[in-house]
Amino acid sequence: MLISKMAAEGGGKEMNEIKTQFTTREGVYKLLTHSEYSRPNRVPFNSQGSNPVKVSFVNVNDQSGNGDRICFNVGRELYFYIYKGVRKAADLSKPIDKRIYKGTQPTCHDFNHLTATAESVSLLVGFSAGQVQLIDPIKKETSKLFNEERLIDKSRVTCVKWVTGSESLFLVSHASGNMYLYNVEHTCGTTAPHYQLLKQGENYSVHTCKSKSTRNPLLKWTVGEGALNEFAFSPDGKFLACVSQDGFLRVFNFDAVELHGTMKSYFGGLLCVCWSPDGKYIVAGGEDDLVTVWSFLDCRVIARGHGHKSWVSVVAFDHYTTSVEESDPMEFSGSDEDFQDQIIHFGRDRANSTQSRLSKRNSTDSRPVSVTYRFGSVGQDTQLCLWDLTEDILFPHLPLSRTRTHTNVMNATSPPAGATIITNTSSNTTNGNNSGANTPGINSLSTALPRSNSLPHSAGTTTANSSNKASGGGGISSGIMDSAIATGVSKFATLSLHDRKERHHEKDHKRNHSMGHISSKSSDKLNLLTKTKTDPAKTLGTLLCPRMEDIPLLEPLICKKIAHERLTVLIFLEDCLVTACQEGFICTWARPGKVGLLSSQNQASSPSGTVV
């Protein structure tokens, strides 16, 4: 009652509308005010002109059972604390390490989880002037500084990550649009590096460093137009997803240095990216205020989510809240009740069991396993959104037999009984030459898709993708990936001149589409494919960027204002989720049933209030 009254009054009461708890089907998530981390003085940071607050976690496996460590940057400062999460209140008076930098600011950081111990951790820190520092905040050592003289790149570091499974290799992206691969054992040299072309492709190139002795950087990637805003390695470390200011998601085979597939934002730059726990889906967010779900196997957009009122700054999958449904292939004709009994309910399975189930889904041909994915997003609108990627969105794409016969769909991957299979009809496909590749869909239900009962497909990818699914694969094996990479590259060949001519009404659609508050005047002029020089408007309605009405539009499970300043962090942990805003406050939200005694007495009385 109080909340609705405040909402009705608007204006002056808006500051009191910040939520300290929210409810999903798993239960109530509660903000633990005593577990808030910030600068020791707890004074809100004047964030104008500073880089986003970022948070990194590592577990050092110490004997006390409290091995979690947290690192965060605020302005020119970098802090390293013991993270007590839902168990105890944060003690801000005793940072393990604190550093204040002059002339440059930390922009991002990443721990090496392989080498972390109670006595030593390796932390990479990227800076606004382009340098990368390797420090040990436990030993309080600064071991190395990379790009110290800024001879490699002078622009801001946008993202830094250790290469999956490596103790010495790390990757750094810059606002210049370049990425560099480093080895901590090598020096950077005293002169600017000379490069030799290794591979070139659709709006990207990779160079090796040309020198007599091995030096950093080992590789230089030039990707897209404008800043490379973020990148993320796939769970198995074999693939790399990059999002750029030109609005493109590009997914590379990291070792082979080859482009696997691309996607274009609805408009504006893409700012953030993440992978599903099984590596089958990628979610990206950015300046179009949307979250976009992209299928790794299909190389295409399968859904968009609209809930934010401003740019989306972080997207992340919740590995701990995944509903996994298994069934015996012999019981395919069983009743719905039989399968309901086999559901593992939300929030009850932990990461290891979820990961094993997802990998089982990748590797087992005969056992149909379906998954509902949970992911979250935070944005400059100060809102947290949670989303579910559910069966009605996933099932049309898991079979992926382009011939659309009942037999082929079932043979590709058999869904559990009672599941609705939605396949596309020929009425609303994106490519003009595609209609012959479709037969009427099976059990097509308009109600199952929020915006459409028809989904775009490319005729040019029919054979490769069908063979992938028919093989029962889904796992990242070399045979499937070879085919998938060829599929991703061949997508550009399907965007023929004939197809583009049929898109003559795209600009009108962009002006008149249903989401009225989204404008199309952003940085679209950057969005050019190098070789084809495709007009940005021409990508709308193609596989790169389907129209809004051509794919499902997800609604958020919850969408809550949780901060005064723009949100810059969202991390899902086993007992909680962690958010941070540009004022420098890192907040811990206890999962249902995980609220400690310390905070439950203080929190139970207030469903809405101001963050302390």
Side-chain angles (χ1 to χ4, degrees):
M1 185 70 184
L2 179 63
I3 298 173
S4 60
K5 184 180 178 184
M6 287 193 302
E9 291 175 2
K13 299 289 185 181
E14 184 180 359
M15 296 299 281
N16 296 322
E17 290 181 27
I18 291 179
K19 299 296 180 283
T20 57
Q21 67 179 38
F22 56 86
T23 304
T24 65
R25 63 172 141 274
E26 308 95 71
V28 180
Y29 289 75
K30 294 186 178 181
L31 176 66
L32 305 181
T33 53
H34 292 272
S35 294
E36 180 181 274
Y37 286 77
S38 67
R39 298 188 300 167
N41 58 14
R42 291 190 181 276
V43 174
F45 176 67
N46 182 1
S47 60
Q48 288 188 338
S50 69
N51 289 286
V53 173
K54 295 292 179 73
V55 173
S56 296
F57 284 100
V58 67
N59 190 292
V60 299
N61 298 314
D62 68 354
Q63 299 303 314
S64 68
N66 191 19
D68 289 327
R69 302 289 182 267
I70 184 173
C71 172
F72 57 91
N73 61 289
V74 182
R76 296 186 296 117
E77 303 164 11
L78 187 74
Y79 292 94
F80 182 71
Y81 281 98
I82 293 175
Y83 179 70
K84 299 177 181 178
V86 301
R87 295 181 299 278
K88 292 182 179 178
D91 183 0
L92 298 184
S93 65
K94 298 177 180 177
I96 300 173
D97 196 13
K98 172 188 175 182
R99 298 175 185 232
I100 301 176
Y101 296 92
K102 295 179 180 178
T104 187
Q105 294 185 3
T107 58
C108 50
H109 31 84
D110 189 44
F111 286 105
N112 192 319
H113 295 268
L114 286 179
T115 60
T117 67
E119 294 77 37
S120 174
V121 292
S122 295
L123 177 67
L124 290 168
V125 185
F127 290 90
S128 55
Q131 303 94 334
V132 177
Q133 193 178 40
L134 174 64
I135 64 177
D136 187 333
I138 294 180
K139 293 181 176 178
K140 295 183 171 56
E141 291 178 355
T142 301
S143 56
K144 288 190 178 177
L145 187 59
F146 302 92
N147 192 30
E148 181 176 5
E149 303 298 327
R150 304 172 70 212
L151 297 171
I152 296 170
D153 201 303
K154 290 181 169 57
S155 66
R156 173 175 52 92
V157 174
T158 55
C159 187
V160 59
K161 290 189 190 303
W162 292 95
V163 173
T164 306
S166 176
E167 297 185 3
S168 57
L169 296 176
F170 64 93
L171 197 60
V172 182
S173 63
H174 288 259
S176 61
N178 296 326
M179 261 190 320
Y180 303 91
L181 180 67
Y182 288 84
N183 187 326
V184 293
E185 308 298 333
H186 299 156
T187 62
C188 291
T190 55
T191 58
H194 295 280
Y195 295 105
Q196 185 173 343
L197 183 65
L198 175 67
K199 189 164 290 189
Q200 194 165 15
E202 197 72 50
N203 214 7
Y204 81 96
S205 61
V206 182
H207 292 78
T208 57
C209 194
K210 191 177 178 183
S211 63
K212 292 180 180 178
S213 59
T214 306
R215 61 164 284 184
N216 285 318
L218 304 178
L219 291 178
K220 173 187 177 181
W221 297 61
T222 302
V223 180
E225 302 281 339
L228 201 165
N229 289 320
E230 191 176 51
F231 63 85
F233 284 101
S234 61
D236 64 2
K238 294 180 180 177
F239 290 84
L240 182 71
C242 306
V243 288
S244 301
Q245 196 58 38
D246 62 6
F248 278 88
L249 161 73
R250 295 177 178 88
V251 182
F252 296 96
N253 182 318
F254 185 62
D255 292 329
V257 197
E258 290 180 344
L259 186 66
H260 169 75
T262 59
M263 180 270 287
K264 170 71 173 61
S265 68
Y266 202 69
F267 63 79
L270 286 175
L271 304 176
C272 51
V273 64
C274 66
W275 292 79
S276 65
D278 57 0
K280 285 180 174 288
Y281 302 98
I282 294 172
V283 172
E287 295 175 359
D288 53 10
D289 303 355
L290 303 170
V291 294
T292 302
V293 185
W294 190 81
S295 167
F296 176 81
L297 292 176
D298 298 5
C299 288
R300 67 187 181 88
V301 177
I302 61 167
R304 290 191 181 102
H306 179 228
H308 288 284
K309 299 182 179 70
S310 186
W311 295 358
V312 180
S313 50
V314 184
V315 286
F317 273 88
D318 184 354
H319 293 208
Y320 303 91
T321 306
T322 298
S323 174
V324 185
E325 185 175 327
E326 298 182 9
S327 61
D328 190 307
M330 298 305 292
E331 297 179 4
F332 188 74
S333 58
S335 66
D336 290 353
E337 288 76 12
D338 296 334
F339 289 94
Q340 289 297 323
D341 293 340
Q342 297 171 25
I343 293 177
I344 294 98
H345 294 288
F346 274 88
R348 294 189 183 175
D349 51 355
R350 287 287 158 252
N352 53 359
S353 63
T354 301
Q355 288 281 18
S356 65
R357 290 173 194 282
L358 292 173
S359 62
K360 187 186 299 181
R361 173 169 171 252
N362 282 342
S363 59
T364 308
D365 293 0
S366 58
R367 178 190 296 268
V369 179
S370 57
V371 182
T372 299
Y373 301 86
R374 166 70 55 84
F375 66 94
S377 57
V378 294
Q380 298 200 8
D381 56 0
T382 72
Q383 292 194 118
L384 162 70
C385 291
L386 294 181
W387 314 80
D388 270 354
L389 194 54
T390 51
E391 295 302 332
D392 57 337
I393 305 298
L394 299 175
F395 260 125
H397 314 293
L398 289 179
L400 205 73
S401 177
R402 296 288 192 248
T403 52
R404 298 301 177 202
T405 64
H406 187 275
T407 307
N408 285 349
V409 169
M410 291 308 175
N411 284 347
T413 46
S414 301
T420 302
I421 302 173
I422 308 149
T423 56
N424 71 314
T425 64
S426 58
S427 61
N428 200 16
T429 53
T430 54
N431 287 349
N433 60 357
N434 193 27
S435 57
N438 300 284
T439 57
I442 308 158
N443 297 338
S444 291
L445 294 179
S446 59
T447 55
L449 297 181
R451 298 284 298 218
S452 170
N453 64 351
S454 174
L455 298 166
H457 295 290
S458 164
T461 63
T462 302
T463 308
N465 278 340
S466 296
S467 63
N468 283 356
K469 290 316 263 184
S471 68
I476 301 183
S477 66
S478 58
I480 291 178
M481 282 307 104
D482 289 344
S483 173
I485 290 167
T487 302
V489 175
S490 71
K491 289 219 182 312
F492 296 102
T494 68
L495 303 177
S496 64
L497 186 63
H498 169 72
D499 296 331
R500 295 192 203 112
K501 284 181 179 175
E502 299 190 5
R503 308 270 92 76
H504 62 273
H505 58 286
E506 286 164 359
K507 290 183 181 178
D508 293 336
H509 167 74
K510 206 161 189 181
R511 284 195 295 268
N512 301 322
H513 64 78
S514 56
M515 296 168 62
H517 72 276
I518 294 182
S519 75
S520 59
K521 64 185 180 183
S522 188
S523 54
D524 268 353
K525 53 178 171 287
L526 289 175
N527 306 325
L528 303 175
L529 286 172
T530 300
K531 292 189 176 178
T532 57
K533 295 296 181 187
T534 309
D535 187 293
K538 300 291 186 182
T539 63
L540 186 64
T542 66
L543 277 176
L544 284 175
C545 182
R547 290 188 182 82
M548 293 303 294
E549 67 266 23
D550 284 344
I551 56 169
L553 187 65
L554 303 177
E555 297 292 330
L557 298 176
I558 63 109
C559 189
K560 302 292 183 184
K561 177 182 172 69
I562 62 169
H564 291 301
E565 283 290 327
R566 66 184 187 272
L567 293 162
T568 57
V569 170
L570 174 61
I571 299 172
F572 291 97
L573 301 177
E574 184 170 356
D575 294 329
C576 58
L577 60 93
V578 175
T579 61
C581 70
Q582 195 54 24
E583 285 185 316
F585 295 117
I586 291 88
C587 297
T588 297
W589 301 77
R591 291 184 185 270
K594 299 294 184 180
V595 178
L597 291 173
L598 170 77
S599 52
S600 59
Q601 299 165 354
N602 302 302
Q603 304 248 318
S605 59
S606 174
S608 175
T610 304
V611 178
V612 176

